[in-house]
Amino acid sequence: MKIRNFFLLVMAVATITFASCVNNQSTNNNSDSTMNTRKILVTVDLQKDFINGTLPAKDAEQIIPAINAIKGRFDKLYFTLDWHPANHCSFTKEGGIWPVHCVHYTEGASIPDCILADVEDSKLLFYTKGMIPGKEEYGAFTDISINDQSMFKPGDDVVVCGIASEYCVLETLKELVRLSKGIGFNLSVFMDGVACIESHDVLLEYMKAEGIKEYK
Ligand code: VGL
Ligand code: ZN
């Protein structure tokens, strides 16, 4: 073989080897099981009225820095919002058991700026509930079917936190258990990010019964 042809052959082999390395690398990346696992933080009713407004939960101020400290780990942040009309049936003046809270479009129904200000818009999703005047609705996602994968997909890691432990967090968690069984995603609860009205006992009992782990 002439020197020139030998040189060309070496170059060709080197090029093919290089190309197959690049290919292997991208194949490996694509088959990496962590790649398609989205991390979603579901934050229940983290609204000013439940923090320092008309219906404050115990230790609600303390869960804010705890949630802020972990939110950067997530690809998506879903915020549920208790979103009541002014005449909602859950208010004492309408025969319900709660003071007026989270009236739609009011400051009390908003989420503290320090939670949202530094998060990219594309990561955020807001989900309202409790809009029907005559209907109490503690749980979010009640209207999502297991055939709807627009919010939750197979393999997602879904972590729940928020307010209030024994009401909206518990009932939202029940809906997420239904969806996780139907869709096939992982579910855990970030207890340092959950505030209660009276006690965490009911939530912890439910988690134990369902085998739901704490997110640390
Ligand atoms: C809630 C009472 C009334 C809650 C909402 O977010 O847990 N509690 N409305
Ligand atoms: Zn409410």
Side-chain angles (χ1 to χ4, degrees):
M1 194 184 287
K2 284 183 183 161
I3 297 281
R4 187 169 158 275
N5 285 352
F6 180 69
F7 177 70
L8 287 176
L9 181 68
V10 169
M11 287 303 287
V13 170
T15 308
I16 290 163
T17 309
F18 176 70
S20 75
C21 282
V22 170
N23 244 345
N24 270 344
Q25 214 168 18
S26 65
T27 309
N28 283 344
N29 278 345
N30 283 339
S31 63
D32 183 348
S33 62
T34 60
M35 205 175 140
N36 295 320
T37 303
R38 301 184 312 165
K39 297 197 180 332
I40 302 173
L41 185 64
V42 173
T43 303
V44 177
D45 300 3
L46 197 67
Q47 293 161 276
K48 290 180 183 172
D49 273 343
F50 294 128
I51 299 164
N52 55 9
T54 59
L55 180 43
K58 262 189 218 169
D59 301 329
E61 310 251 14
Q62 290 171 34
I63 72 172
I64 306 288
I67 294 169
N68 259 335
I70 66 156
K71 71 184 180 187
R73 300 175 195 168
F74 294 86
D75 304 303
K76 295 277 176 193
L77 303 177
Y78 294 170
F79 291 89
T80 73
L81 294 166
D82 211 32
W83 200 249
H84 299 312
N87 63 346
H88 193 257
C89 65
S90 74
F91 303 158
T92 46
K93 66 182 179 74
E94 305 290 336
I97 61 168
W98 303 110
V100 172
H101 64 278
C102 298
V103 173
H104 56 186
Y105 309 108
T106 63
E107 167 103 25
S110 70
I111 294 171
D113 288 352
C114 68
I115 292 284
L116 298 176
D118 54 355
V119 182
E120 284 168 52
D121 251 16
S122 60
K123 289 190 174 185
L124 297 172
L125 185 148
F126 299 95
Y127 190 98
T128 53
K129 65 176 174 67
M131 288 92 85
I132 302 167
K135 191 177 169 199
E136 182 58 284
E137 232 179 337
Y138 292 137
F141 313 134
T142 52
D143 54 352
I144 299 184
S145 139
I146 56 167
N147 301 312
D148 175 1
Q149 297 185 359
S150 56
M151 283 184 69
F152 303 102
K153 299 187 199 310
D156 284 347
D157 272 332
V158 178
V159 178
V160 184
C161 62
I163 310 171
S165 181
E166 61 274 65
Y167 296 98
C168 292
V169 174
L170 174 68
E171 295 306 320
T172 299
L173 188 60
K174 290 180 183 172
E175 292 303 317
L176 286 169
V177 165
R178 171 181 66 83
L179 292 171
S180 74
K181 287 177 178 167
I183 295 172
F185 57 80
N186 307 305
L187 196 52
S188 59
V189 178
F190 178 51
M191 286 305 299
D192 288 349
V194 180
C196 62
I197 301 288
E198 289 289 334
S199 149
H200 290 297
D201 290 354
V202 187
L203 180 66
L204 291 170
E205 257 170 52
Y206 176 75
M207 286 165 60
K208 198 171 163 193
E210 287 289 338
I212 300 168
K213 299 222 158 39
E214 275 192 45
Y215 174 87
K216 297 281 182 190

mmCIF file of all heavy atoms in Angstrom, residues 149-193:
data_model
loop_
_atom_site.group_PDB
_atom_site.id
_atom_site.type_symbol
_atom_site.label_atom_id
_atom_site.label_comp_id
_atom_site.label_asym_id
_atom_site.label_seq_id
_atom_site.Cartn_x
_atom_site.Cartn_y
_atom_site.Cartn_z
ATOM 1 N N GLN A 149 -52.716 12.616 30.693
ATOM 2 C CA GLN A 149 -51.332 12.701 31.158
ATOM 3 C C GLN A 149 -50.723 14.068 30.880
ATOM 4 O O GLN A 149 -49.518 14.207 30.729
ATOM 5 C CB GLN A 149 -50.503 11.584 30.517
ATOM 6 C CG GLN A 149 -51.016 10.224 30.936
ATOM 7 C CD GLN A 149 -50.156 9.083 30.421
ATOM 8 O OE1 GLN A 149 -49.168 9.268 29.731
ATOM 9 N NE2 GLN A 149 -50.542 7.867 30.785
ATOM 10 N N SER A 150 -51.567 15.099 30.838
ATOM 11 C CA SER A 150 -51.030 16.426 30.543
ATOM 12 C C SER A 150 -50.305 17.024 31.742
ATOM 13 O O SER A 150 -49.419 17.852 31.585
ATOM 14 C CB SER A 150 -52.139 17.365 30.056
ATOM 15 O OG SER A 150 -53.171 17.435 31.002
ATOM 16 N N MET A 151 -50.653 16.602 32.947
ATOM 17 C CA MET A 151 -49.952 17.132 34.138
ATOM 18 C C MET A 151 -49.010 16.117 34.767
ATOM 19 O O MET A 151 -47.966 16.474 35.287
ATOM 20 C CB MET A 151 -50.971 17.603 35.183
ATOM 21 C CG MET A 151 -51.601 18.948 34.854
ATOM 22 S SD MET A 151 -52.702 19.513 36.160
ATOM 23 C CE MET A 151 -51.547 19.858 37.474
ATOM 24 N N PHE A 152 -49.417 14.850 34.787
ATOM 25 C CA PHE A 152 -48.614 13.787 35.413
ATOM 26 C C PHE A 152 -48.417 12.662 34.401
ATOM 27 O O PHE A 152 -49.374 12.237 33.763
ATOM 28 C CB PHE A 152 -49.327 13.260 36.663
ATOM 29 C CG PHE A 152 -49.626 14.346 37.671
ATOM 30 C CD1 PHE A 152 -50.905 14.879 37.784
ATOM 31 C CD2 PHE A 152 -48.619 14.857 38.486
ATOM 32 C CE1 PHE A 152 -51.179 15.895 38.698
ATOM 33 C CE2 PHE A 152 -48.885 15.876 39.403
ATOM 34 C CZ PHE A 152 -50.167 16.390 39.506
ATOM 35 N N LYS A 153 -47.145 12.206 34.290
ATOM 36 C CA LYS A 153 -46.824 11.174 33.294
ATOM 37 C C LYS A 153 -46.193 9.966 33.983
ATOM 38 O O LYS A 153 -45.642 10.110 35.088
ATOM 39 C CB LYS A 153 -45.825 11.717 32.280
ATOM 40 C CG LYS A 153 -46.325 12.913 31.483
ATOM 41 C CD LYS A 153 -45.340 13.271 30.388
ATOM 42 C CE LYS A 153 -45.513 14.689 29.863
ATOM 43 N NZ LYS A 153 -46.871 15.056 29.489
ATOM 44 N N PRO A 154 -46.234 8.796 33.320
ATOM 45 C CA PRO A 154 -45.598 7.622 33.901
ATOM 46 C C PRO A 154 -44.128 7.922 34.226
ATOM 47 O O PRO A 154 -43.434 8.547 33.424
ATOM 48 C CB PRO A 154 -45.682 6.578 32.779
ATOM 49 C CG PRO A 154 -46.843 7.018 31.946
ATOM 50 C CD PRO A 154 -46.860 8.514 32.022
ATOM 51 N N GLY A 155 -43.681 7.499 35.411
ATOM 52 C CA GLY A 155 -42.278 7.675 35.790
ATOM 53 C C GLY A 155 -41.962 8.983 36.488
ATOM 54 O O GLY A 155 -40.871 9.129 37.034
ATOM 55 N N ASP A 156 -42.886 9.937 36.472
ATOM 56 C CA ASP A 156 -42.634 11.208 37.179
ATOM 57 C C ASP A 156 -42.369 10.944 38.655
ATOM 58 O O ASP A 156 -42.903 9.991 39.237
ATOM 59 C CB ASP A 156 -43.863 12.137 37.090
ATOM 60 C CG ASP A 156 -44.012 12.805 35.728
ATOM 61 O OD1 ASP A 156 -43.058 12.760 34.929
ATOM 62 O OD2 ASP A 156 -45.096 13.378 35.483
ATOM 63 N N ASP A 157 -41.528 11.812 39.252
ATOM 64 C CA ASP A 157 -41.371 11.833 40.710
ATOM 65 C C ASP A 157 -42.162 13.028 41.224
ATOM 66 O O ASP A 157 -41.788 14.172 40.953
ATOM 67 C CB ASP A 157 -39.895 12.001 41.092
ATOM 68 C CG ASP A 157 -39.187 10.677 41.188
ATOM 69 O OD1 ASP A 157 -39.867 9.674 41.500
ATOM 70 O OD2 ASP A 157 -37.978 10.637 40.932
ATOM 71 N N VAL A 158 -43.236 12.751 41.948
ATOM 72 C CA VAL A 158 -44.117 13.826 42.410
ATOM 73 C C VAL A 158 -44.002 13.957 43.924
ATOM 74 O O VAL A 158 -44.160 12.978 44.656
ATOM 75 C CB VAL A 158 -45.587 13.542 42.000
ATOM 76 C CG1 VAL A 158 -46.518 14.630 42.519
ATOM 77 C CG2 VAL A 158 -45.695 13.417 40.479
ATOM 78 N N VAL A 159 -43.676 15.162 44.373
ATOM 79 C CA VAL A 159 -43.518 15.442 45.803
ATOM 80 C C VAL A 159 -44.569 16.468 46.209
ATOM 81 O O VAL A 159 -44.795 17.456 45.510
ATOM 82 C CB VAL A 159 -42.096 15.979 46.096
ATOM 83 C CG1 VAL A 159 -41.928 16.310 47.568
ATOM 84 C CG2 VAL A 159 -41.037 14.975 45.643
ATOM 85 N N VAL A 160 -45.221 16.210 47.358
ATOM 86 C CA VAL A 160 -46.327 17.064 47.799
ATOM 87 C C VAL A 160 -45.944 17.826 49.066
ATOM 88 O O VAL A 160 -45.319 17.261 49.971
ATOM 89 C CB VAL A 160 -47.583 16.203 48.076
ATOM 90 C CG1 VAL A 160 -48.782 17.079 48.436
ATOM 91 C CG2 VAL A 160 -47.919 15.344 46.866
ATOM 92 N N CYS A 161 -46.345 19.094 49.138
ATOM 93 C CA CYS A 161 -46.182 19.883 50.363
ATOM 94 C C CYS A 161 -47.303 20.921 50.392
ATOM 95 O O CYS A 161 -48.126 20.961 49.485
ATOM 96 C CB CYS A 161 -44.811 20.556 50.392
ATOM 97 S SG CYS A 161 -44.532 21.725 49.057
ATOM 98 N N GLY A 162 -47.353 21.751 51.440
ATOM 99 C CA GLY A 162 -48.341 22.838 51.472
ATOM 100 C C GLY A 162 -49.206 22.878 52.704
ATOM 101 O O GLY A 162 -48.855 22.377 53.773
ATOM 102 N N ILE A 163 -50.404 23.483 52.550
ATOM 103 C CA ILE A 163 -51.318 23.788 53.652
ATOM 104 C C ILE A 163 -52.735 23.379 53.234
ATOM 105 O O ILE A 163 -53.099 23.589 52.070
ATOM 106 C CB ILE A 163 -51.315 25.307 53.938
ATOM 107 C CG1 ILE A 163 -49.862 25.845 54.078
ATOM 108 C CG2 ILE A 163 -52.123 25.634 55.177
ATOM 109 C CD1 ILE A 163 -49.754 27.375 54.134
ATOM 110 N N ALA A 164 -53.581 22.914 54.074
ATOM 111 C CA ALA A 164 -53.316 22.503 55.431
ATOM 112 C C ALA A 164 -53.273 20.981 55.488
ATOM 113 O O ALA A 164 -54.056 20.291 54.831
ATOM 114 C CB ALA A 164 -54.423 23.013 56.353
ATOM 115 N N SER A 165 -52.372 20.475 56.305
ATOM 116 C CA SER A 165 -52.102 19.042 56.419
ATOM 117 C C SER A 165 -53.356 18.170 56.404
ATOM 118 O O SER A 165 -53.492 17.261 55.577
ATOM 119 C CB SER A 165 -51.331 18.816 57.719
ATOM 120 O OG SER A 165 -51.005 17.470 57.905
ATOM 121 N N GLU A 166 -54.278 18.442 57.350
ATOM 122 C CA GLU A 166 -55.417 17.538 57.546
ATOM 123 C C GLU A 166 -56.618 17.857 56.654
ATOM 124 O O GLU A 166 -57.611 17.148 56.696
ATOM 125 C CB GLU A 166 -55.831 17.491 59.018
ATOM 126 C CG GLU A 166 -56.283 18.799 59.641
ATOM 127 C CD GLU A 166 -55.154 19.671 60.204
ATOM 128 O OE1 GLU A 166 -54.330 20.131 59.406
ATOM 129 O OE2 GLU A 166 -55.152 19.931 61.419
ATOM 130 N N TYR A 167 -56.518 18.891 55.814
ATOM 131 C CA TYR A 167 -57.620 19.222 54.905
ATOM 132 C C TYR A 167 -57.154 19.109 53.454
ATOM 133 O O TYR A 167 -57.251 18.039 52.851
ATOM 134 C CB TYR A 167 -58.194 20.615 55.228
ATOM 135 C CG TYR A 167 -58.818 20.645 56.599
ATOM 136 C CD1 TYR A 167 -58.111 21.145 57.700
ATOM 137 C CD2 TYR A 167 -60.087 20.122 56.816
ATOM 138 C CE1 TYR A 167 -58.663 21.134 58.977
ATOM 139 C CE2 TYR A 167 -60.648 20.104 58.080
ATOM 140 C CZ TYR A 167 -59.932 20.607 59.156
ATOM 141 O OH TYR A 167 -60.484 20.570 60.405
ATOM 142 N N CYS A 168 -56.644 20.194 52.920
ATOM 143 C CA CYS A 168 -56.374 20.185 51.479
ATOM 144 C C CYS A 168 -55.152 19.361 51.088
ATOM 145 O O CYS A 168 -55.127 18.795 49.996
ATOM 146 C CB CYS A 168 -56.293 21.607 50.956
ATOM 147 S SG CYS A 168 -57.911 22.409 51.029
ATOM 148 N N VAL A 169 -54.138 19.274 51.960
ATOM 149 C CA VAL A 169 -52.991 18.422 51.619
ATOM 150 C C VAL A 169 -53.443 16.963 51.608
ATOM 151 O O VAL A 169 -53.177 16.221 50.656
ATOM 152 C CB VAL A 169 -51.804 18.642 52.587
ATOM 153 C CG1 VAL A 169 -50.683 17.648 52.293
ATOM 154 C CG2 VAL A 169 -51.276 20.072 52.478
ATOM 155 N N LEU A 170 -54.151 16.544 52.655
ATOM 156 C CA LEU A 170 -54.639 15.158 52.738
ATOM 157 C C LEU A 170 -55.519 14.801 51.542
ATOM 158 O O LEU A 170 -55.319 13.767 50.893
ATOM 159 C CB LEU A 170 -55.420 14.957 54.044
ATOM 160 C CG LEU A 170 -56.101 13.603 54.193
ATOM 161 C CD1 LEU A 170 -55.084 12.480 54.339
ATOM 162 C CD2 LEU A 170 -57.062 13.595 55.397
ATOM 163 N N GLU A 171 -56.506 15.648 51.256
ATOM 164 C CA GLU A 171 -57.465 15.318 50.189
ATOM 165 C C GLU A 171 -56.808 15.385 48.804
ATOM 166 O O GLU A 171 -57.154 14.601 47.916
ATOM 167 C CB GLU A 171 -58.683 16.244 50.265
ATOM 168 C CG GLU A 171 -59.517 16.065 51.545
ATOM 169 C CD GLU A 171 -59.964 14.620 51.792
ATOM 170 O OE1 GLU A 171 -60.346 13.930 50.829
ATOM 171 O OE2 GLU A 171 -59.908 14.181 52.967
ATOM 172 N N THR A 172 -55.853 16.284 48.643
ATOM 173 C CA THR A 172 -55.121 16.351 47.367
ATOM 174 C C THR A 172 -54.233 15.115 47.216
ATOM 175 O O THR A 172 -54.118 14.543 46.130
ATOM 176 C CB THR A 172 -54.286 17.649 47.280
ATOM 177 O OG1 THR A 172 -55.186 18.764 47.340
ATOM 178 C CG2 THR A 172 -53.475 17.721 45.995
ATOM 179 N N LEU A 173 -53.638 14.693 48.334
ATOM 180 C CA LEU A 173 -52.801 13.488 48.309
ATOM 181 C C LEU A 173 -53.633 12.265 47.901
ATOM 182 O O LEU A 173 -53.165 11.415 47.131
ATOM 183 C CB LEU A 173 -52.148 13.273 49.676
ATOM 184 C CG LEU A 173 -51.104 12.163 49.756
ATOM 185 C CD1 LEU A 173 -49.935 12.427 48.805
ATOM 186 C CD2 LEU A 173 -50.588 11.991 51.180
ATOM 187 N N LYS A 174 -54.882 12.196 48.380
ATOM 188 C CA LYS A 174 -55.754 11.073 47.994
ATOM 189 C C LYS A 174 -55.991 11.055 46.482
ATOM 190 O O LYS A 174 -55.988 9.984 45.857
ATOM 191 C CB LYS A 174 -57.093 11.151 48.742
ATOM 192 C CG LYS A 174 -56.967 10.844 50.224
ATOM 193 C CD LYS A 174 -58.321 10.946 50.917
ATOM 194 C CE LYS A 174 -58.175 10.720 52.421
ATOM 195 N NZ LYS A 174 -59.454 10.996 53.144
ATOM 196 N N GLU A 175 -56.191 12.229 45.904
ATOM 197 C CA GLU A 175 -56.375 12.304 44.446
ATOM 198 C C GLU A 175 -55.093 11.888 43.725
ATOM 199 O O GLU A 175 -55.133 11.210 42.696
ATOM 200 C CB GLU A 175 -56.771 13.719 44.012
ATOM 201 C CG GLU A 175 -58.156 14.143 44.473
ATOM 202 C CD GLU A 175 -59.249 13.194 43.990
ATOM 203 O OE1 GLU A 175 -59.213 12.782 42.819
ATOM 204 O OE2 GLU A 175 -60.135 12.871 44.807
ATOM 205 N N LEU A 176 -53.948 12.289 44.281
ATOM 206 C CA LEU A 176 -52.665 11.932 43.654
ATOM 207 C C LEU A 176 -52.385 10.439 43.777
ATOM 208 O O LEU A 176 -51.770 9.847 42.885
ATOM 209 C CB LEU A 176 -51.530 12.768 44.254
ATOM 210 C CG LEU A 176 -51.517 14.226 43.775
ATOM 211 C CD1 LEU A 176 -50.555 15.070 44.606
ATOM 212 C CD2 LEU A 176 -51.137 14.311 42.296
ATOM 213 N N VAL A 177 -52.845 9.820 44.867
ATOM 214 C CA VAL A 177 -52.703 8.363 44.997
ATOM 215 C C VAL A 177 -53.512 7.678 43.887
ATOM 216 O O VAL A 177 -53.019 6.772 43.201
ATOM 217 C CB VAL A 177 -53.140 7.876 46.396
ATOM 218 C CG1 VAL A 177 -53.348 6.368 46.417
ATOM 219 C CG2 VAL A 177 -52.113 8.293 47.445
ATOM 220 N N ARG A 178 -54.742 8.142 43.677
ATOM 221 C CA ARG A 178 -55.583 7.585 42.602
ATOM 222 C C ARG A 178 -54.866 7.735 41.252
ATOM 223 O O ARG A 178 -54.749 6.768 40.484
ATOM 224 C CB ARG A 178 -56.929 8.330 42.583
ATOM 225 C CG ARG A 178 -57.829 8.008 41.399
ATOM 226 C CD ARG A 178 -59.132 8.811 41.436
ATOM 227 N NE ARG A 178 -58.962 10.247 41.267
ATOM 228 C CZ ARG A 178 -58.835 10.870 40.094
ATOM 229 N NH1 ARG A 178 -58.892 10.163 38.976
ATOM 230 N NH2 ARG A 178 -58.675 12.186 40.037
ATOM 231 N N LEU A 179 -54.350 8.925 40.978
ATOM 232 C CA LEU A 179 -53.687 9.175 39.696
ATOM 233 C C LEU A 179 -52.374 8.405 39.576
ATOM 234 O O LEU A 179 -52.038 7.897 38.506
ATOM 235 C CB LEU A 179 -53.440 10.683 39.511
ATOM 236 C CG LEU A 179 -54.704 11.529 39.318
ATOM 237 C CD1 LEU A 179 -54.386 13.014 39.378
ATOM 238 C CD2 LEU A 179 -55.393 11.192 37.995
ATOM 239 N N SER A 180 -51.629 8.302 40.693
ATOM 240 C CA SER A 180 -50.332 7.602 40.624
ATOM 241 C C SER A 180 -50.532 6.121 40.328
ATOM 242 O O SER A 180 -49.739 5.509 39.603
ATOM 243 C CB SER A 180 -49.531 7.800 41.911
ATOM 244 O OG SER A 180 -50.072 7.042 42.963
ATOM 245 N N LYS A 181 -51.626 5.544 40.884
ATOM 246 C CA LYS A 181 -51.910 4.131 40.607
ATOM 247 C C LYS A 181 -52.340 3.933 39.159
ATOM 248 O O LYS A 181 -51.985 2.946 38.525
ATOM 249 C CB LYS A 181 -53.001 3.604 41.557
ATOM 250 C CG LYS A 181 -52.470 3.415 42.986
ATOM 251 C CD LYS A 181 -53.558 2.976 43.952
ATOM 252 C CE LYS A 181 -52.974 2.753 45.352
ATOM 253 N NZ LYS A 181 -54.022 2.629 46.382
ATOM 254 N N GLY A 182 -53.111 4.879 38.631
ATOM 255 C CA GLY A 182 -53.610 4.778 37.258
ATOM 256 C C GLY A 182 -52.559 5.116 36.219
ATOM 257 O O GLY A 182 -52.496 4.503 35.148
ATOM 258 N N ILE A 183 -51.735 6.105 36.500
ATOM 259 C CA ILE A 183 -50.773 6.597 35.507
ATOM 260 C C ILE A 183 -49.403 5.932 35.693
ATOM 261 O O ILE A 183 -48.702 5.651 34.722
ATOM 262 C CB ILE A 183 -50.659 8.149 35.578
ATOM 263 C CG1 ILE A 183 -51.991 8.800 35.187
ATOM 264 C CG2 ILE A 183 -49.531 8.668 34.681
ATOM 265 C CD1 ILE A 183 -52.057 10.306 35.396
ATOM 266 N N GLY A 184 -49.026 5.698 36.990
ATOM 267 C CA GLY A 184 -47.728 5.076 37.249
ATOM 268 C C GLY A 184 -46.635 6.092 37.487
ATOM 269 O O GLY A 184 -45.667 6.154 36.744
ATOM 270 N N PHE A 185 -46.796 6.927 38.506
ATOM 271 C CA PHE A 185 -45.695 7.809 38.907
ATOM 272 C C PHE A 185 -45.428 7.628 40.394
ATOM 273 O O PHE A 185 -46.215 7.024 41.115
ATOM 274 C CB PHE A 185 -45.981 9.281 38.532
ATOM 275 C CG PHE A 185 -47.254 9.872 39.083
ATOM 276 C CD1 PHE A 185 -47.333 10.341 40.389
ATOM 277 C CD2 PHE A 185 -48.382 9.976 38.271
ATOM 278 C CE1 PHE A 185 -48.502 10.894 40.885
ATOM 279 C CE2 PHE A 185 -49.567 10.531 38.765
ATOM 280 C CZ PHE A 185 -49.619 10.992 40.074
ATOM 281 N N ASN A 186 -44.265 8.154 40.835
ATOM 282 C CA ASN A 186 -43.875 8.023 42.250
ATOM 283 C C ASN A 186 -44.385 9.205 43.051
ATOM 284 O O ASN A 186 -44.412 10.328 42.549
ATOM 285 C CB ASN A 186 -42.353 7.953 42.357
ATOM 286 C CG ASN A 186 -41.793 6.884 41.467
ATOM 287 O OD1 ASN A 186 -42.203 5.728 41.554
ATOM 288 N ND2 ASN A 186 -40.900 7.264 40.568
ATOM 289 N N LEU A 187 -44.728 8.914 44.303
ATOM 290 C CA LEU A 187 -45.351 9.938 45.138
ATOM 291 C C LEU A 187 -44.693 9.941 46.510
ATOM 292 O O LEU A 187 -44.474 8.889 47.117
ATOM 293 C CB LEU A 187 -46.837 9.564 45.268
ATOM 294 C CG LEU A 187 -47.845 10.584 45.752
ATOM 295 C CD1 LEU A 187 -47.774 11.881 44.968
ATOM 296 C CD2 LEU A 187 -49.248 9.986 45.648
ATOM 297 N N SER A 188 -44.343 11.134 47.019
ATOM 298 C CA SER A 188 -43.834 11.261 48.383
ATOM 299 C C SER A 188 -44.274 12.613 48.929
ATOM 300 O O SER A 188 -44.784 13.460 48.182
ATOM 301 C CB SER A 188 -42.313 11.116 48.424
ATOM 302 O OG SER A 188 -41.711 12.096 47.614
ATOM 303 N N VAL A 189 -44.097 12.790 50.241
ATOM 304 C CA VAL A 189 -44.558 14.026 50.899
ATOM 305 C C VAL A 189 -43.381 14.679 51.611
ATOM 306 O O VAL A 189 -42.657 14.024 52.365
ATOM 307 C CB VAL A 189 -45.692 13.729 51.909
ATOM 308 C CG1 VAL A 189 -46.128 15.007 52.627
ATOM 309 C CG2 VAL A 189 -46.896 13.101 51.196
ATOM 310 N N PHE A 190 -43.204 15.975 51.385
ATOM 311 C CA PHE A 190 -42.145 16.746 52.038
ATOM 312 C C PHE A 190 -42.726 17.343 53.330
ATOM 313 O O PHE A 190 -43.338 18.414 53.304
ATOM 314 C CB PHE A 190 -41.657 17.837 51.078
ATOM 315 C CG PHE A 190 -40.602 18.744 51.646
ATOM 316 C CD1 PHE A 190 -39.458 18.225 52.256
ATOM 317 C CD2 PHE A 190 -40.734 20.123 51.554
ATOM 318 C CE1 PHE A 190 -38.478 19.071 52.779
ATOM 319 C CE2 PHE A 190 -39.756 20.978 52.062
ATOM 320 C CZ PHE A 190 -38.632 20.451 52.678
ATOM 321 N N MET A 191 -42.580 16.622 54.448
ATOM 322 C CA MET A 191 -43.248 17.023 55.695
ATOM 323 C C MET A 191 -42.737 18.354 56.258
ATOM 324 O O MET A 191 -43.496 19.081 56.881
ATOM 325 C CB MET A 191 -43.143 15.911 56.753
ATOM 326 C CG MET A 191 -44.051 14.713 56.502
ATOM 327 S SD MET A 191 -45.833 15.083 56.306
ATOM 328 C CE MET A 191 -46.244 15.810 57.894
ATOM 329 N N ASP A 192 -41.455 18.683 56.029
ATOM 330 C CA ASP A 192 -40.952 19.992 56.493
ATOM 331 C C ASP A 192 -41.638 21.149 55.757
ATOM 332 O O ASP A 192 -41.527 22.303 56.172
ATOM 333 C CB ASP A 192 -39.437 20.112 56.275
ATOM 334 C CG ASP A 192 -38.657 19.241 57.254
ATOM 335 O OD1 ASP A 192 -39.263 18.726 58.220
ATOM 336 O OD2 ASP A 192 -37.441 19.076 57.031
ATOM 337 N N GLY A 193 -42.322 20.790 54.672
ATOM 338 C CA GLY A 193 -43.018 21.807 53.886
ATOM 339 C C GLY A 193 -44.526 21.714 54.033
ATOM 340 O O GLY A 193 -45.264 22.197 53.182
#
